[in-house]
Amino acid sequence: MPEKMVAAELRDNALNSLLKTHPEALVSAIGTDGFRVPMPSSVGLRDEQIIPVPTDRATMLDLVVSQDALRVVTAWEQASKSGMAIGTVRTRNNPDHFLNLLLIDMRHRHGVWLGALTELSSDDAVPATGTALTASLLVPLRPRTATVRKNWRGLITGIDDRATRMLGWSAEQIVGLRSTELIHPDDVERAVANWMEMLSKREGQRVRVRHQCEDGTWLWVETENTFHDADDPEEIVVVTQLSDISDEMAAHEALDRRERLFRRLAESLPTGLLQLESDGSLFYANERLGAILGIPAATTLDEQLASVVDRDRPGLDAAITAALREGTDSELEVEVRLPGSEQLRRCAVSLTALTDQEGAPGALACVSDITESARLREELKARATFDALTGCYNRASIMALLDQTLADDQPGLTAVAFVDLDKFKPVNDGLGHAAGDELLQRAATLLTGLLGPEDLAGRLGGDEFLLVFPGVVSRAEAVAIGQRVAETLHQEVALSCGAVRLGGSVGVACADRPITADELVARADAAMYESKRQRLGAPVLYTDELRQAA
């Protein structure tokens, strides 16, 4: 048996099996060009099984949701090659209900293709929802265009069949009515103005209005009135072409709703929002941004950012430019001085570049008031860096800074002075810890008063201090510095409990070769102990002889 005969027999068997196992199947006849045609009687279907054919040309695509159009096209291409194909689709009138679509070439027997829609079986990949399959699921699509004829006074004189299918009105129901009677009250004024302009200019005009349907609903249409002049005013005819724009208007309304929702969300956020156009112009700023920056109403970017302090403005401007021109995201902090006040705020700014993918090229800035968190951050940093009692660097910080100083390639020597207070223990034990703390604070004040711009002072612990002097010219200069330290400490200081005698032992060491902070401080510590042993109140410089003696 020839291969084509076998293929035809298989298709016959497939159709017979389908109709037997799926008596609820809905079937459409399809011409070779893909458009639906009347069902041949030879197929032998009941009337309720036949999908009605509209008066205008239609395809199987008109029955399914737009998301499934590609599935129909793919099935048609496959069927064109093999004679039969199957897919899964949803109808427009019930987009949550999945159906099987079978396309089968029956031209050899009935002269047409057949497209059948059936319920999914329990073995199908997509479960059925349980809705009965009836022709009501496959109501033909509403026409997208229709024609209405009117006279110059706006009275309806006739409609075509497409207008009836679009709006639901029969000619008997609306012929003789004034067209404004079927237009939404909110749109009447616009429609009348358009009509009068059409009459005065004697040329076609367009307007978008909501037209009432027979079931009481409103349909968005674009009306194009075409004026047909005549000598007798009663013979003037206006042909109105109606175009269904409900999908477009629904999309606009959905977009408007999303826009309103976005603005509600933007206004409710505790963060300031700033949206810029691609040219840097101000597009949107929420109220919170105005409250943070102290500028509630601004029309330009410069006005909105006028409260940013001068030292931070260049960095912010550069970040904005990078976001707009290079698509670079960035985060930075700026200080803001509220207008008419000396109050300063610390703000975090997060800049995000926007591209065509977001639909709005430009940049988005999120601004948060972090004044309190910045203050807490600085406090934590200070606690981790400085000695709470004296204000000098703590041991870890002064040692880290010394290591950094030693690693820097700079001229001269780095000298350190290790200071141990000689009179601290009697004061701390005899007069109390409060007096001891006060003595440490006075000593720290005296020592930091000796420092230059590049010099450092740290408290190593107890009554021990470390002074760092970068760029010392010679060891003699280092000793002279140590002498000034010793002389400064050798004095009587006034405490809350009375005057006490202050003094200190000072050890000086210089970095004459690559050396670590620990090693240099150990040298100064050894020199300090020698100064304490001599009890002369004079500084001692660490030398090789001191190391050998130790």
Side-chain angles (χ1 to χ4, degrees):
M1 186 179 292
E3 182 178 351
K4 289 186 178 179
M5 292 290 290
V6 173
E9 183 177 353
L10 287 176
R11 295 198 296 275
D12 286 339
N13 292 337
L15 178 61
N16 293 333
S17 176
L18 172 76
L19 297 177
K20 182 177 180 180
T21 58
H22 291 279
E24 84 288 353
L26 297 177
V27 186
S28 178
I30 307 171
T32 304
D33 57 2
F35 287 95
R36 290 156 52 200
V37 297
M39 181 67 66
S41 58
S42 60
V43 182
L45 298 177
R46 305 185 308 276
D47 288 344
E48 61 268 21
Q49 289 182 282
I50 299 173
I51 301 174
V53 181
T55 56
D56 50 342
R57 291 163 64 81
T59 69
M60 294 299 288
L61 293 173
D62 298 313
L63 301 177
V64 303
V65 296
S66 58
Q67 298 93 321
D68 292 346
L70 184 58
R71 297 185 181 187
V72 176
V73 173
T74 301
W76 179 257
E77 291 176 347
Q78 293 175 349
S80 299
K81 297 176 181 178
S82 62
M84 188 166 56
I86 191 169
T88 305
V89 296
R90 294 161 293 175
T91 63
R92 289 179 180 267
N93 286 31
N94 197 350
D96 297 326
H97 187 67
F98 284 91
L99 300 173
N100 271 333
L101 168 65
L102 173 68
L103 294 176
I104 184 168
D105 185 1
M106 296 302 296
R107 290 177 295 175
H108 64 285
R109 190 164 303 280
H110 304 296
V112 294
W113 289 74
L114 294 179
L117 293 168
T118 65
E119 290 284 4
L120 298 178
S121 68
S122 59
D123 296 331
D124 289 315
V126 182
T129 61
T131 303
L133 180 59
T134 64
S136 63
L137 293 174
L138 304 173
V139 175
L141 289 177
R142 181 168 53 204
R144 306 296 294 181
T145 61
T147 303
V148 177
R149 296 173 66 86
K150 306 172 187 177
N151 63 19
W152 69 274
R153 291 191 294 270
L155 297 178
I156 298 174
T157 59
I159 62 173
D160 65 0
D161 176 64
R162 296 172 67 87
T164 296
R165 289 163 48 208
M166 175 189 286
L167 302 172
W169 300 105
S170 65
E172 292 76 10
Q173 289 176 297
I174 64 173
V175 167
L177 295 179
R178 194 174 299 278
S179 59
T180 52
E181 297 180 50
L182 300 175
I183 293 176
H184 194 282
D186 293 344
D187 302 334
V188 168
E189 183 178 353
R190 187 168 66 255
V192 170
N194 180 270
W195 182 267
M196 297 306 295
E197 185 175 2
M198 181 267 300
L199 291 178
S200 64
K201 293 183 177 180
R202 297 294 199 269
E203 60 184 31
Q205 298 292 324
R206 292 184 180 184
V207 65
R208 293 185 167 194
V209 297
R210 282 161 287 184
H211 202 293
Q212 188 174 22
C213 298
E214 193 274 338
D215 60 4
T217 60
W218 297 96
L219 178 71
W220 272 106
V221 296
E222 182 176 77
T223 67
E224 182 176 7
N225 297 309
T226 304
F227 187 89
H228 295 268
D229 205 351
D231 295 335
D232 185 353
E234 295 302 324
E235 298 297 324
I236 292 175
V237 174
V238 176
V239 178
T240 300
Q241 189 74 20
L242 302 180
S243 299
D244 182 353
I245 59 170
S246 55
D247 289 344
E248 178 185 346
M249 298 306 294
H252 282 306
E253 290 174 0
L255 184 62
D256 288 342
R257 287 194 298 271
R258 287 195 295 270
E259 176 71 14
R260 290 193 296 270
L261 176 60
F262 167 76
R263 289 187 178 272
R264 287 288 300 274
L265 291 173
E267 295 300 336
S268 66
L269 291 174
T271 300
L273 294 181
L274 175 71
Q275 184 178 350
L276 301 176
E277 300 275 21
S278 56
D279 61 358
S281 59
L282 183 62
F283 177 76
Y284 170 75
N286 65 355
E287 292 184 5
R288 181 59 181 163
L289 180 70
I292 292 174
L293 300 181
I295 303 176
T299 58
T300 67
L301 180 61
D302 283 339
E303 290 177 7
Q304 189 69 77
L305 301 181
S307 58
V308 177
V309 298
D310 292 343
R311 66 175 177 275
D312 290 341
R313 187 61 188 271
L316 178 58
D317 289 343
I320 291 174
T321 300
L324 294 174
R325 297 182 181 178
E326 303 168 17
T328 303
D329 299 343
S330 60
E331 294 184 359
L332 66 160
E333 292 185 9
V334 297
E335 269 194 332
V336 171
R337 178 174 285 106
L338 298 183
S341 169
E342 292 301 314
Q343 180 184 354
L344 289 175
R345 284 180 178 167
R346 194 70 181 169
C347 296
V349 181
S350 176
L351 279 164
T352 303
L354 302 177
T355 65
D356 289 328
Q357 293 181 346
E358 287 81 22
L364 180 67
C366 298
V367 182
S368 302
D369 182 356
I370 60 168
T371 304
E372 185 61 23
S373 60
R375 183 186 65 79
L376 293 175
R377 181 184 63 197
E378 292 301 322
E379 283 187 7
L380 291 174
K381 181 179 178 181
R383 291 178 184 179
T385 305
F386 298 98
D387 175 54
L389 179 64
T390 64
C392 298
Y393 286 104
N394 58 26
R395 181 183 184 90
S397 297
I398 193 64
M399 295 300 289
L401 290 170
L402 178 56
D403 259 327
Q404 181 179 338
T405 301
L406 294 171
D408 291 342
D409 185 15
Q410 58 183 2
L413 302 172
T414 296
V416 297
F418 196 116
V419 179
D420 181 271
L421 301 183
D422 293 337
K423 305 297 183 179
F424 175 72
K425 185 173 175 53
V427 173
N428 197 56
D429 293 347
L431 301 178
H433 294 296
D437 289 347
E438 191 176 357
L439 182 61
L440 289 173
Q441 292 171 336
R442 293 299 306 277
T445 301
L446 292 171
L447 292 174
T448 54
L450 298 172
L451 302 181
E454 305 298 324
D455 303 335
L456 305 169
R459 182 187 175 197
L460 297 178
D463 60 347
E464 295 179 339
F465 293 84
L466 182 70
L467 307 181
V468 178
F469 302 96
V472 174
V473 176
S474 63
R475 286 177 174 76
E477 183 184 355
V479 172
I481 292 173
Q483 184 63 42
R484 289 201 305 272
V485 171
E487 291 174 354
T488 298
L489 292 176
H490 190 72
Q491 62 176 284
E492 186 175 80
V493 296
L495 304 180
S496 299
C497 59
V500 299
R501 173 61 61 177
L502 180 62
S505 299
V506 181
V508 178
C510 296
D512 53 358
R513 59 177 177 79
I515 191 173
T516 65
D518 287 333
E519 186 177 354
L520 184 60
V521 171
R523 290 183 173 188
D525 188 17
M528 183 276 295
Y529 273 104
E530 179 60 22
S531 172
K532 186 178 289 290
R533 187 187 66 80
Q534 295 178 2
R535 297 188 178 184
L536 299 177
V540 172
L541 176 67
Y542 179 86
T543 61
D544 290 339
E545 291 79 9
L546 180 61
R547 177 178 61 82
Q548 294 170 0

